[in-house]
Every structure is written in structure tokens, then in C-alpha cells.
Amino acid sequence: MRKSRARRRAATHAPLLFAGAALNFLFLIVLMTFSYLREEPIFWTNAGDWPIWLREMVQSSYYPLILLEFLLLAAFSGVTIQQLSARSQSASLAVIALPILWGLLFLVVVNSAANNIENIWNNRPIHWHPQSS
């Protein structure tokens, strides 16, 4: 009787784990888009036909979104580990999502850092682009 109660209690966390994975994935898609746009020189000029409000949003919200995503992903990982210790079946599905989500966050950081590392290597300002000089 105790086993069925534990399973039923753990099963109630399945929607929470699914929502956590979906929220993290959504934030990572936005971050990947912002990361790509930040490193495109044409995005920052009027020649790119990008609206000014979008440029301002990318500029002002990129780093707070990375921090928020890192905290959300760390919390999701903690909940998943807690559910694994409770031997929840729903946690095993979240374990499959964790490496994918952490990998996407890593790609966002690498994409942002790659251009800046190249600029530092070549003794240029951090956010320098060929068309900006």
C-alpha cells in the first residue's frame, strides 16, 4: 500500500517537470535568437531593417535572461534530482531533457563568447565588428 501511495505522489510532479522543461526550452530558444542577433553587425544598423524596439530589447534583456535561464535550469535540475531520489518515473523523462537543455545553454554562451574571444585575440574591442570601424 505504501508503494502505490509513493508512486501516486511522485506522479503528480509529472506536469511540473514537463512545464519546467518546456519553460526552459522556450527561454533557450529566445536566448539563442538574441545571441545570434547580438553578434550580427547588420542587426545594429538601420540597413538591417530591424525595429529599434527589438534592438533595445535584445541589448537590455540579454544578460538578465541568461541569468534567469541559468537559475531556472539549476532549479529544474534540482527538482529532477529530488524526484530521481524518490524514484519517480516522471523524473526519468526529465533526465533525458536535462543534457539537452544544458547543452543549449552552453551553445548560447559559446555563441556569445566566440566573437568576443576572437576580438580579444586580435587586440580589438570586445564587441567590435568589421563594419563598425
Side-chain angles (χ1 to χ4, degrees):
M1 183 109 180
R2 193 168 202 167
K3 277 188 176 181
S4 66
R5 208 181 263 171
R7 284 186 183 172
R8 189 177 309 135
R9 191 171 139 216
T12 60
H13 293 290
L16 176 68
L17 290 173
F18 179 76
L23 182 67
N24 276 292
F25 186 72
L26 178 68
F27 269 65
L28 285 164
I29 294 298
V30 170
L31 276 171
M32 282 192 289
T33 304
F34 281 13
S35 178
Y36 173 76
L37 290 174
R38 285 185 82 239
E39 299 307 326
E40 284 298 313
I42 200 162
F43 175 70
W44 300 106
T45 65
N46 287 335
D49 289 332
W50 293 96
I52 293 173
W53 64 265
L54 181 61
R55 290 185 237 166
E56 290 174 355
M57 184 171 59
V58 168
Q59 185 176 18
S60 65
S61 64
Y62 181 71
Y63 288 114
L65 279 176
I66 283 183
L67 177 62
L68 179 61
E69 172 54 27
F70 175 76
L71 294 174
L72 283 173
L73 195 50
F76 179 67
S77 298
V79 169
T80 300
I81 290 169
Q82 180 186 22
Q83 291 302 306
L84 275 175
S85 66
R87 299 180 192 257
S88 168
Q89 281 186 325
S90 58
S92 60
L93 294 175
V95 167
I96 294 169
L98 277 176
I100 295 168
L101 294 172
W102 281 105
L104 289 174
L105 182 62
F106 178 73
L107 288 175
V108 167
V109 171
V110 166
N111 187 43
S112 292
N115 180 267
N116 295 328
I117 290 171
E118 180 184 347
N119 289 336
I120 290 170
W121 186 264
N122 293 319
N123 294 322
R124 296 185 295 232
I126 290 178
H127 291 290
W128 179 87
H129 294 287
Q131 293 140 344
S132 66
S133 57

